Amino acid sequence: VQLQASGGGLVQAGGSLRLSCAASGRSFNMFMMGWFRQAPGKEREFVAAISRGGGSTSYVDSVKGRFTISRDNDKRSMYLQMNSLKPEDTAVYYCAAKRAIMTAPLASHPEEYDYWGQGTQVTVSS
């Protein structure tokens, strides 16, 4: 599967952005999906994950209550709605896909994912 992330940009603290990840290739609904981010000088960090059907989600504690992950399997797309953005959310955001059975637990480590998009820059100014 090929992944294309988009929707990043420059926003003031407290603002919102919606990231999108468009997939092509193999059946999108066969994949668990995740968002990760990487700030300069830091390791890639888990942000959120969503199950194949969209019924289960998980988040890193720092974004709970502010970010919402979702997917539309008919449109072969995944989204990350980011509200109440903070300067510490500044990073390159990556979408990722993991082959998984329907009952697989949500994955939160980069090495568990099989495919990656190219990343989209999110910059939050104070």
Side-chain angles (χ1 to χ4, degrees):
V1 64
Q2 292 79 44
L3 303 175
Q4 179 77 31
S6 62
L10 173 64
V11 63
Q12 289 187 332
S16 298
L17 282 174
R18 187 190 195 212
L19 305 184
S20 298
C21 178
S24 60
R26 296 183 178 182
S27 299
F28 181 67
N29 60 3
M30 299 293 287
F31 294 87
M32 172 189 307
M33 300 295 295
W35 286 102
F36 290 79
R37 65 187 179 186
Q38 189 165 18
K42 295 188 177 181
E43 293 188 353
R44 193 163 296 191
E45 174 191 34
F46 170 74
V47 176
I50 189 165
S51 60
R52 284 173 47 178
S56 296
T57 58
S58 67
Y59 300 89
V60 66
D61 285 347
S62 60
V63 308
K64 285 180 180 177
R66 300 188 298 122
F67 290 12
T68 302
I69 189 172
S70 62
R71 66 189 294 165
D72 185 332
N73 286 345
D74 290 337
K75 294 183 178 179
R76 306 168 70 85
S77 294
M78 174 182 65
Y79 309 98
L80 186 68
Q81 178 66 44
M82 306 186 294
N83 298 329
S84 302
L85 281 161
K86 304 176 181 180
E88 51 264 43
D89 294 319
T90 294
V92 177
Y93 283 70
Y94 298 89
C95 58
K98 171 182 167 59
R99 289 183 293 262
I101 61 174
M102 283 295 290
T103 56
L106 294 175
S108 61
H109 296 94
E111 59 269 24
E112 297 182 273
Y113 285 79
D114 303 301
Y115 301 95
W116 291 85
Q118 87 292 354
T120 184
Q121 176 70 47
V122 172
T123 303
V124 184
S125 63
S126 57

